[in-house]
Amino acid sequence: MKKQHSRPNILVVNDDGITAPGIKNLIEAVKELGNVVVVAPDGPQSGMGHAITIGKPMRFNKVDLYEGVEMYKCSGTPVDCVKLAVNKIFKGKKPDLCVSGINHGLNNSINVIYSGTMSAAVEGAIEGIPSIGFSLDDYAEEADFSHCLKYVKSIAQQVLDNGLPQATLLNVNFPKGNGIKGIKICRQANAKWAEEFDERQDPYGRPYYWLTGVFQNNDKGEDTDVWALDHGYVSVVPVQFDLTAHHAIPLLNSWTFND
Amino acid sequence: MKKQHSRPNILVVNDDGITAPGIKNLIEAVKELGNVVVVAPDGPQSGMGHAITIGKPMRFNKVDLYEGVEMYKCSGTPVDCVKLAVNKIFKGKKPDLCVSGINHGLNNSINVIYSGTMSAAVEGAIEGIPSIGFSLDDYAEEADFSHCLKYVKSIAQQVLDNGLPQATLLNVNFPKGNGIKGIKICRQANAKWAEEFDERQDPYGRPYYWLTGVFQNNDKGEDTDVWALDHGYVSVVPVQFDLTAHHAIPLLNSWTFND
């Protein structure tokens, strides 16, 4: 893909909802790089993964939150937002870049698969748009994103200038606070959540359950996103949506099925 | 993983909901192979992808639908069902096999990423359980699954006997009707949905949108799941949840960031 010569069109999405401070910071960071259009959920959609809305209809409305920024809210999921943006706003003329976030909370390692922020970026890539998801190691509503902004701009500019390899996108995570040592290109750490369910009783004596969990990383590799973040670096993981485990095909071909 | 010598424990999940004919057929197919426990959503959860329920609590109750089968319904997503099963029922002693489906509708190609059925199987694999998702090329409630059952048993038995390579699972799709030619091990076809949104007006004059779309396959490879299904074969794709695009790491390391 060649360097952009006209002012690029940039689609901004997230999963924390259109009023989240994270998306406001992301808009600030990229609006100098191109024409920004924002399509974001009308409320929090964290943990929605790659969900789409197929059993019920969606609302989709223009809103006026930040001066000079074209913005739309959607009752659907983060992935729905990307689909609506491509179909109803850009109408087949794809944006030059899709950025998602900045998420309140990390999306490193296996979290890429649960994250609405990352799934929106994955959907951008499926649509053929160079796409990046950004996340910060701070779940707080009042999280400080200021130290992320120069990295967001620099990485977005690189992607606008160079494009991305076909069918890949970037998963970018920021450590909390200042003192970032630089950017590391990483692989996804092989870690997982150990779930616990907090069982409570409703006022009528019936049980209900809150999902909680502990993040368990047994991957000691120094080339992982977990390592980079633990050591003060911005982690950048190239992500793909071909889920085929190509290496397993020869083994499966050696199996004998009773068919 | 070695051959099972005691009777294996089999977790059965789906995304069409606990009363779907597809899961009833799946239970029938695998109950001869081991002790079956069913945990399924209390209603349809198609297209939920890898969503988890984190903003609200869940209900989780034992139900008695089919004689002699231990069954639970859950108000959460297909992925929640797997997490609840592992944590609340198996309590750390993992099942020997997790099977998901049989889905009413194909989950070949890129559909693996939108599908609740496949995401439940992916979650099983993340939990370290050998896992398989099954889907049939028929969306109808009254779909005929009878021709699938011997393949379900055969593939499940192979996985019980041989295990699966670490961090992989199987995505199995069936053509509609009889006359299946056999099983083909495949890669995920490089196809996507071209979305269209059906815009309507509610009784108050406000617009709402239904997601619709057309499946577009430009991948002519004869090693794909789309090709196999089109030619009367059962497609079996090994799937992984490490989304790292490892091949893109050297290129990204050549970029210069303004950091």
Side-chain angles (χ1 to χ4, degrees), chain B:
Chain B
M1 190 174 286
K2 296 209 202 85
K3 194 170 160 69
Q4 304 291 332
H5 290 291
S6 60
R7 196 164 160 80
N9 293 314
I10 302 174
L11 170 62
V12 179
V13 293
N14 80 343
D15 78 351
D16 289 315
I18 198 157
T19 62
I23 199 168
K24 187 176 186 188
N25 277 273
L26 182 53
I27 294 164
E28 284 302 314
V30 299
K31 76 181 185 188
E32 290 167 40
L33 306 180
N35 307 312
V36 167
V37 176
V38 180
V39 183
D42 59 12
Q45 293 269 352
S46 292
M48 283 306 279
H50 215 95
I52 51 175
T53 303
I54 53 179
K56 56 185 183 185
M58 280 171 277
R59 300 288 182 172
F60 175 62
N61 299 99
K62 199 161 187 178
V63 290
D64 187 14
L65 285 185
Y66 307 126
E67 198 183 323
V69 183
E70 185 178 343
M71 299 183 80
Y72 303 83
K73 67 176 180 180
C74 166
S75 65
T77 67
V79 170
D80 291 326
C81 290
V82 175
K83 289 181 182 291
L84 273 161
V86 168
N87 191 272
K88 301 301 284 181
I89 300 169
F90 291 96
K91 298 179 193 296
K93 188 191 170 301
K94 297 203 167 140
D96 301 292
L97 180 68
C98 170
V99 289
S100 182
I102 301 172
N103 193 62
H104 294 240
L106 284 180
N107 283 316
N108 60 339
S109 180
I110 194 66
N111 298 302
V112 64
I113 216 165
Y114 301 102
S115 160
T117 298
M118 281 311 301
S119 295
V122 169
E123 186 64 23
I126 292 172
E127 294 281 2
I129 306 163
S131 298
I132 317 169
F134 296 100
S135 307
L136 169 64
D137 185 13
D138 192 342
Y139 286 95
E141 178 79 6
E142 65 275 14
D144 178 6
F145 294 91
S146 60
H147 64 295
C148 309
L149 302 190
K150 74 170 184 170
Y151 295 98
V152 170
K153 268 174 76 168
S154 173
I155 295 167
Q157 188 64 62
Q158 284 284 325
V159 171
L160 282 168
D161 289 350
N162 301 313
L164 282 170
Q166 192 166 11
T168 64
L169 60 144
L170 300 183
N171 181 14
V172 178
N173 284 270
F174 296 102
K176 194 172 172 175
N178 288 307
I180 286 179
K181 290 188 194 152
I183 291 173
K184 279 229 185 280
I185 312 300
C186 309
R187 65 174 172 85
Q188 169 186 331
N190 178 19
K192 68 180 279 286
W193 287 89
E195 275 77 31
E196 291 160 15
F197 286 88
D198 185 348
E199 183 173 341
R200 302 185 180 189
Q201 281 209 339
D202 70 17
Y204 321 105
R206 296 176 306 196
Y208 64 94
Y209 302 86
W210 287 98
L211 173 60
T212 66
V214 179
F215 188 68
Q216 291 184 323
N217 179 34
N218 296 315
D219 186 340
K220 302 299 177 209
E222 299 192 358
D223 57 345
T224 68
D225 50 5
V226 169
W227 189 94
L229 290 158
D230 281 350
H231 289 78
Y233 292 93
V234 178
S235 69
V236 177
V237 175
V239 169
Q240 63 187 15
F241 51 84
D242 174 5
L243 304 192
T244 309
H246 292 276
H247 64 280
I249 289 178
L251 173 75
L252 294 174
N253 271 319
S254 75
W255 286 10
T256 306
F257 298 99
N258 295 323
D259 61 341

Side-chain angles (χ1 to χ4, degrees), chain A residues 83 87 114 123 158 195 256, chain B residues 83 87 123 158 195 256:
Chain A
K83 288 181 183 292
N87 190 271
Y114 301 103
E123 186 63 25
Q158 284 284 324
E195 276 77 30
T256 306
Chain B
K83 289 181 182 291
N87 191 272
E123 186 64 23
Q158 284 284 325
E195 275 77 31
T256 306

Side-chain angles (χ1 to χ4, degrees), chain A residues 223-236:
Chain A
D223 56 346
T224 68
D225 50 5
V226 169
W227 189 95
L229 290 158
D230 282 350
H231 290 78
Y233 292 93
V234 179
S235 68
V236 177

